[in-house]
Amino acid sequence: MQDKSSLIFGNQIPQKFIKKAAKNQQKFLKKYGDDRNTEYHLVAVENEVLTPIMGVKVLKLSKEPLGSLPEKPIIIGNIRMGFGHYRISMAMASAAHAMGYTPLWLDLNSFPETTCTKIIGGQNDAYSLASRISQKSKLFNKLVWEPLNYTGFKQITYNTGDQKNAELMVPLFHDIPKETPYIATHVWPSQAAIHAGMTHVVNAIPDNWPMALHLSEGALHTVQTPNAYFGYRTLCGFDKENVLNPMGKDDIAYIGQYIDDEFVQNIESDCAARIDRLTNGKPIRYLLSIGGAGSQGDYFAGLIRTLVPYIKEGKATLYLNIGDYANVWDLFKQKIPGIENLAKLHFDSWKNTSEFAKNALADKNCSGEESKGLHVFCHKDIFAAVYATNILMRACDVIMTKPSELAFYPVPKLMIQHVGGHEKWGAIRSAEIGDGTPECPNLEYAEAMIRQFIKTPDLLVNMNNAIIAAKKAGIYNGAYHAVELATGMTGLDGKESKYAYAGR
């Protein structure tokens, strides 16, 4: 196995960081066990939510070897860490399915028997805890969380530790043919695939703020924005003020934003329906999606509280997706007395949620129940919990979201406060395109934006027009291009790709 922790894109890492990374690897082996000589086998199984929609088959552990893969396979390597990386994976799978491929879902955080999953689970728990603390302690946020997310993860030395940890994730790749096309939507599945000898790896970087955290040398890095491209290509700021050797031109590509096929193909009709509702005085449909980190509970309660009078007056509708956290609804009932009398619950029935979203999308006259009141969605199944937001997004008029992965979606956005400094650059990108607001600096400002949209919905009309213009420019075609690059299809030059866009 090639060492990738001491020399990163031609930049020599100081010995103290190499030794620290090796020591940390040994600590993980002692805590979680050493399965580097274990031969794990996989099997591809259908999924109730994603198989009917985009042909996804989920890779699970098996007693028997994997055998032959489905025709035209492409692996989507990911982890569940919050909902964001799952959502990006769904975008990649959707695009791949539309292009004739069979997406195979490989979540490295879903094999509890393995050292790999134990490491990721421990890291995820620590990240979620720190994220929640950051929302309750301004001092912790200022002195620890913001600097770590903004400058700590940016330093090239941070990549050293992740590379050593990724060496312990290789056993899960035992059954997978090395030449299988592979898209990773988190850096650890990308690094693990490279260490395992995979040869067609795309490392789909999620954010607009360049950080060494996302480097996976040996993979083709893809980014969604010009800012990210320049930052990664030059490695500017990755060693404070020191100048580093840059990435090579063939190591990175700016491909556009990672969006599901069903979104991209229906942008014009979805925006037209929104503009019709907004210009004819229909209730404005707000969507609020609760992510997996579990932070911002009080903030979300404030947003809902602001909307309640407008919901009662028939001026607003709220779709509230609490993911797979049923306890969040108990929290809101405590913080907003009487809210349960206003709400209709859609819990643990994917059929019900799918039908609701379908009817909401078709209801241009706002005559059905989907256009009135407060609707709360919750699913124990993680795929349903995440994808519920996707199908509700197409039917809503504006989504209220922190500037994470949802900042890149083609739907009008009210950008609430970030959690982790790297996220704020997602709001900057959205504001540049015109499909979302700048980041709201506090709850009061976000509440004011809610009221402003109801009083002057032309602001949202402008966002829809910007989304249509951005589609014409090809800004939302990143998922298609990622598939092209992983599978060796011709693209990006505009000559043979139906998805190529101006400027490439």
Side-chain angles (χ1 to χ4, degrees), residues 113-130:
E113 305 94 326
T114 69
T115 301
C116 170
T117 292
K118 291 173 184 176
I119 291 172
I120 294 172
Q123 299 285 85
N124 190 21
D125 290 344
Y127 186 91
S128 296
L129 176 61

Side-chain angles (χ1 to χ4, degrees), residues 151-458:
T151 57
F153 290 159
K154 191 177 184 69
Q155 302 309 301
I156 197 167
T157 51
Y158 189 90
N159 193 250
T160 298
D162 275 355
Q163 287 284 5
K164 293 301 291 184
N165 294 340
E167 293 177 1
L168 307 182
M169 303 175 186
V170 168
L172 279 171
F173 291 79
H174 179 270
D175 273 4
I176 301 173
K178 306 302 184 189
E179 70 280 1
T180 308
Y182 183 101
I183 300 175
T185 61
H186 186 282
V187 71
W188 296 339
S190 176
Q191 292 168 343
I194 294 297
H195 284 298
M198 300 288 289
T199 58
H200 291 69
V201 180
V202 167
N203 175 31
I205 295 174
D207 298 315
N208 189 27
W209 174 244
M211 299 186 291
L213 165 71
H214 294 301
L215 295 178
S216 177
E217 189 169 6
L220 172 60
H221 299 65
T222 63
V223 293
Q224 302 184 83
T225 70
N227 175 70
Y229 180 83
F230 186 86
Y232 281 106
R233 177 75 184 278
T234 63
L235 298 182
C236 180
F238 281 47
D239 188 18
K240 299 181 180 178
E241 296 181 358
N242 297 320
V243 178
L244 295 176
N245 293 322
M247 293 177 67
K249 183 179 179 180
D250 294 335
D251 293 317
I252 185 169
Y254 160 44
I255 64 174
Q257 295 171 198
Y258 313 139
I259 308 298
D260 314 60
D261 173 71
E262 53 269 31
F263 271 89
V264 178
Q265 300 306 322
N266 292 287
I267 280 177
E268 290 87 354
S269 59
D270 291 350
C271 286
R274 293 189 191 104
I275 291 172
D276 181 72
R277 289 190 294 266
L278 294 165
T279 56
N280 287 289
K282 306 297 183 181
I284 294 181
R285 300 172 176 180
Y286 288 83
L287 169 60
L288 179 59
S289 179
I290 309 298
S295 58
Q296 294 182 298
D298 291 334
Y299 194 110
F300 290 145
L303 298 176
I304 297 169
R305 196 178 294 113
T306 300
L307 274 168
V308 166
Y310 296 108
I311 294 172
K312 291 179 177 179
E313 295 171 11
K315 295 181 179 180
T317 301
L318 175 59
Y319 304 151
L320 174 61
N321 181 22
I322 58 175
D324 56 351
Y325 297 96
N327 61 305
V328 170
W329 180 235
D330 295 328
L331 173 69
F332 288 149
K333 287 190 291 185
Q334 294 174 8
K335 293 183 176 295
I336 313 171
I339 191 175
E340 63 270 24
N341 300 322
L342 192 63
K344 181 170 182 179
L345 306 184
H346 307 264
F347 279 35
D348 293 321
S349 173
W350 178 244
K351 181 179 179 181
N352 172 276
T353 298
S354 300
E355 192 67 23
F356 178 94
K358 180 180 178 181
N359 291 338
L361 195 60
D363 184 17
K364 295 181 180 179
N365 296 319
C366 293
S367 57
E369 69 164 358
E370 298 84 9
S371 299
K372 300 177 177 65
L374 166 60
H375 297 269
V376 186
F377 302 86
C378 183
H379 299 85
K380 294 177 183 177
D381 179 87
I382 180 59
F383 295 98
V386 176
Y387 201 69
T389 292
N390 286 41
I391 60 177
L392 291 168
M393 257 195 291
R394 287 190 55 204
C396 80
D397 294 317
V398 58
I399 182 171
M400 300 179 289
T401 178
K402 65 188 181 78
S404 54
E405 88 287 347
L406 287 170
F408 299 92
Y409 270 74
V411 59
K413 294 170 284 285
L414 193 168
M415 295 292 189
I416 64 176
Q417 254 177 309
H418 66 266
V419 181
H422 63 289
E423 290 184 344
K424 58 188 175 184
W425 282 81
I428 292 171
R429 174 60 173 171
S430 180
E432 288 175 342
I433 294 172
D435 63 3
T437 70
E439 180 182 349
C440 295
N442 51 46
L443 175 59
E444 291 74 22
Y445 200 93
E447 292 171 336
M449 285 295 97
I450 290 174
R451 294 187 287 267
Q452 188 69 24
F453 288 152
I454 293 173
K455 293 176 182 177
T456 56
D458 62 291

